[in-house]
Amino acid sequence: QVQLVESGGGLVQAGDSLRLSCAASGRTFSDLYMGWFRQAPGKEREFVASISWRGDSTYYADSVKGRFTISRDNAKNMMYLQMDSLKPEDTAVYYCAATLQRTVLTFRASGVYEYWGQGTQVTVSS
């Protein structure tokens, strides 16, 4: 069983930066394809970014491309999301997700991921 724990959320002003972290345990970290999702009040959970097993491929939602950076450190069993130039519309609960699957149509779909963290709140004030 894989356990995921997010941290780093908080209340910031528009234009500020935050770095989210996701600590993984229970499985060899490099076996896990990882992703970040977010869910704003009254909205469906949406894809933010994902990163391949060795970190050599990354993907972003158009809404965050150029502002957010996903990374991972397999030696530390950690994944990160550096969020710069934050906007009020980035306000949401951010979730770390992991999957053992290696062949899927798209890693942008939340249904692909078997394991989820509890979420961390990010609030961006204008």
Side-chain angles (χ1 to χ4, degrees):
Q1 187 73 4
V2 175
Q3 292 82 41
L4 303 173
V5 179
E6 304 96 334
S7 61
L11 172 63
V12 297
Q13 293 187 329
D16 285 351
S17 297
L18 270 179
R19 188 195 196 204
L20 304 184
S21 298
C22 173
S25 61
R27 188 85 186 195
T28 301
F29 190 58
S30 57
D31 287 344
L32 299 170
Y33 188 99
M34 303 294 295
W36 286 100
F37 288 76
R38 67 186 181 186
Q39 187 166 18
K43 295 188 176 181
E44 293 187 354
R45 191 170 297 188
E46 65 173 2
F47 171 80
V48 175
S50 66
I51 187 165
S52 60
W53 303 269
R54 293 184 298 178
D56 49 354
S57 295
T58 57
Y59 303 92
Y60 297 92
D62 288 344
S63 58
V64 307
K65 199 173 295 182
R67 300 187 298 120
F68 291 11
T69 304
I70 189 172
S71 62
R72 66 189 294 165
D73 185 336
N74 286 352
K76 295 182 178 179
N77 294 350
M78 296 290 295
M79 178 179 66
Y80 307 98
L81 185 68
Q82 177 67 40
M83 305 187 294
D84 299 320
S85 302
L86 282 161
K87 304 175 181 180
E89 50 264 44
D90 295 318
T91 295
V93 177
Y94 283 71
Y95 296 92
C96 168
T99 179
L100 289 169
Q101 298 191 75
R102 301 190 74 86
T103 305
V104 299
L105 286 177
T106 174
F107 283 106
R108 295 173 181 261
S110 60
V112 165
Y113 298 83
E114 305 96 278
Y115 307 104
W116 293 84
Q118 82 288 351
T120 186
Q121 177 71 46
V122 172
T123 303
V124 184
S125 64
S126 58

